[in-house]
Amino acid sequence: MTSQRKAGRTDPRGHALEARAAARRQEATAARAQAEAYGVLSLACVQRAQALKVVSLADQAVARLGGNDSERTWAVGDGQRARVHVGLMEREASVHAAQARRAEAEAARADAEAAVSAQKAHLAPLVMSAGRAPPEDPG
């Protein structure tokens, strides 16, 4: 067995870097799940906004064709509330879509950091001319 393999078995730095890489991979997996959840929320908001638009149109028809003043007045008010909620749902869908994109970017970053840590774990530390290793990258 080579001395490099023997050193690799008990190298605390290598073990720490491998643990860091595993943690970053776990972070990437969680970020992807988060991105998927935000995507589903965004889609649900879009669907709700579409349904509220139909409610508003139906309320307009009831307001025009309703049987009595009370029914027509209620339909006008309900239609106004539906239109307000359409705007809210469209904004919420946009926010969730942005959050999904951010989570995907964070997953990609975590994957890259995991790859770097895994590579570092299998490389000997660089030694500076004074015999000291350079400072570790905090990320």
Side-chain angles (χ1 to χ4, degrees):
M1 182 176 285
T2 67
S3 61
Q4 187 177 16
R5 280 190 187 160
K6 287 180 188 174
R9 270 203 241 148
T10 59
D11 177 24
R13 175 187 163 273
H15 290 297
L17 286 166
E18 283 292 345
R20 180 176 166 208
R24 289 296 188 185
R25 284 189 289 273
Q26 187 176 11
E27 177 194 4
T29 299
R32 280 192 187 78
Q34 188 179 28
E36 184 178 340
Y38 280 129
V40 169
L41 280 171
S42 178
L43 179 59
C45 289
V46 167
Q47 290 171 344
R48 187 170 176 202
Q50 290 169 344
L52 286 164
K53 287 176 185 177
V54 173
V55 167
S56 176
L57 291 172
D59 280 334
Q60 288 174 8
V62 170
R64 273 194 325 273
L65 308 170
N68 60 39
D69 285 342
S70 174
E71 188 175 70
R72 286 192 301 271
T73 301
W74 180 86
V76 168
D78 189 56
Q80 289 172 340
R81 281 187 297 279
R83 282 189 297 281
V84 166
H85 281 92
V86 165
L88 293 173
M89 287 296 103
E90 288 174 342
R91 282 191 294 277
E92 195 169 331
S94 176
V95 166
H96 290 315
Q99 289 170 318
R101 289 189 301 272
R102 178 193 47 79
E104 279 295 340
E106 288 175 358
R109 176 201 43 80
D111 278 335
E113 289 180 11
V116 168
S117 291
Q119 283 180 332
K120 283 183 179 181
H122 299 289
L123 296 175
L126 296 175
V127 178
M128 295 173 65
S129 61
R132 293 178 288 140
E136 280 291 320
D137 181 23

